Structure formats: C-alpha cells, structure tokens
Amino acid sequence: YEARISAFRKPNETRVMESVRQLITVSLSLLQQNAWSLVGCICLSFLLKNNVIEPYLSERRQKSSLREATKPERVSLLRVDMERIRAKQQENHVQIAKEAQRVAESKKREEKEKRRVEQPHEKKRGQRLGKGPKNSASSTLERSGFNAMDPSSNFTRGYSSTRRNPRGS
C-alpha cells in the first residue's frame, strides 16, 4: 500500500513526511528520557507563579491604585462632595433629633398628667367620691346584673314569664 502511495507522491513530499516522522521519534525519545525533569519544571513553575509572581503583581497593583486614589486633584473633588453629603446628613440628623425630643416631651407630659393627683379644690361641686358613674339619673339604668344587697336591682336570671298569645285562643 505504501509503495502505491509513494509512487503518486512527489519526491519533496516524501522527504517532508520522513522529516516529520524523525521529528516525532526524536521528540518521543527526549520525552521518555526527561519526563520527570519536565514534571518537576512544570510543578516548580506553578509554585513560582503562585508564591512569587502573583503576590508581586498584586502588591504592584495596590501601590498603583493608592497612588491614583491620593492624587491631589481627585482628592479635592471628592472632599467637596463629601462635605456636601455630610452637611445633608447632619441636617437630617438634627431634624430626627428634634422630632424625637418633641415626642419624648409629649410622652413625658402625658405620663406626668396621668400621675398627677386631682386636688380637692379642683373638683366640681356635687361630684360623688369613688368610681361610680358621673350622671346619677342614668346610674340605675346603666347597672346590669343582679345584686342581692341592692333592692333596686331587678335583674333575675332564673325566672321568665310564659308568653301569652291573645290571638291564638
């Protein structure tokens, strides 16, 4: 089969194919002889990259970033914006503090009013002592429930009269 193919090939092509075969053969023999050396070089290059090159590049980027961030032109622009924002925040804080103080004072007044004891001279005349209702005319109507000690209570739970139906009989 090779003889047939080589008959159709040009002499230049066969030389190229031979040289490629030789190159592959030489490469494989070198790889067989130096495989562990190549593995060692690859591992060493990864360690070198991770432990030396990457930290160096990172530190260099940080220094460059710091140098850019601390340029006087940029800092002056940022300072103006920062002062404007801080002034606005201070205004908001002052408003919130005033509102909180107003709420605290109103709560304090309400609490003081709740705790204040009414003086006798402040009471209206004719007012009854105790926790009874203020309007004495409606006091008997508002009371509900049976009280055995009160003869005016007419609430009885146990008895109800029978209903008379005048139309039905």
Side-chain angles (χ1 to χ4, degrees), residues 57-71 74-75 78:
L57 291 176
S58 174
E59 182 180 336
R60 192 170 161 196
R61 280 188 219 113
Q62 269 185 331
K63 286 180 180 177
S64 173
S65 175
L66 180 64
R67 193 172 41 250
E68 286 293 320
T70 56
K71 281 187 176 178
R74 184 168 188 261
V75 171
L78 292 176

Side-chain angles (χ1 to χ4, degrees):
Y1 181 72
E2 290 260 341
R4 284 188 216 163
I5 294 176
S6 63
F8 291 111
R9 288 188 188 154
K10 296 179 183 173
N12 236 359
E13 248 181 68
T14 54
R15 278 190 226 142
V16 170
M17 291 299 281
E18 275 301 315
S19 58
V20 169
R21 281 186 200 146
Q22 285 178 353
L23 181 65
I24 292 173
T25 307
V26 170
S27 299
L28 287 176
S29 68
L30 281 174
L31 185 63
Q32 287 174 352
Q33 291 172 1
N34 301 317
W36 288 111
S37 300
L38 289 174
V39 169
C41 286
I42 290 171
C43 290
L44 187 63
S45 66
F46 277 122
L47 287 173
L48 186 68
K49 177 184 175 250
N50 290 336
N51 294 331
V52 177
I53 295 172
E54 287 293 328
Y56 172 74
L57 291 176
S58 174
E59 182 180 336
R60 192 170 161 196
R61 280 188 219 113
Q62 269 185 331
K63 286 180 180 177
S64 173
S65 175
L66 180 64
R67 193 172 41 250
E68 286 293 320
T70 56
K71 281 187 176 178
E73 304 90 33
R74 184 168 188 261
V75 171
S76 65
L77 290 174
L78 292 176
R79 184 166 289 139
V80 170
D81 288 341
M82 183 179 62
E83 289 172 358
R84 180 181 48 82
I85 290 170
R86 283 187 178 170
K88 185 184 280 187
Q89 287 175 344
Q90 186 66 28
E91 283 180 25
N92 290 342
H93 179 70
V94 167
Q95 289 175 354
I96 291 171
K98 284 180 182 179
E99 181 67 23
Q101 185 178 8
R102 188 186 61 78
V103 168
E105 286 175 359
S106 67
K107 282 185 179 181
K108 192 174 182 180
R109 272 196 311 268
E110 288 173 6
E111 189 65 31
K112 189 176 179 182
E113 190 65 32
K114 282 181 185 177
R115 290 185 181 179
R116 192 173 76 80
V117 176
E118 204 171 277
Q119 299 299 321
H121 66 274
E122 293 175 346
K123 291 185 178 181
K124 297 177 185 175
R125 291 185 179 226
Q127 193 175 20
R128 294 176 59 187
L129 297 175
K131 290 188 177 181
K134 296 190 188 296
N135 190 357
S136 61
S138 65
S139 66
T140 56
L141 296 175
E142 288 178 6
R143 277 189 282 176
S144 65
F146 177 72
N147 185 358
M149 300 304 287
D150 186 9
S152 66
S153 77
N154 55 5
F155 183 77
T156 56
R157 208 177 244 186
Y159 174 76
S160 63
S161 63
T162 59
R163 184 174 175 180
R164 297 183 185 177
N165 193 358
R167 284 190 268 158
S169 33

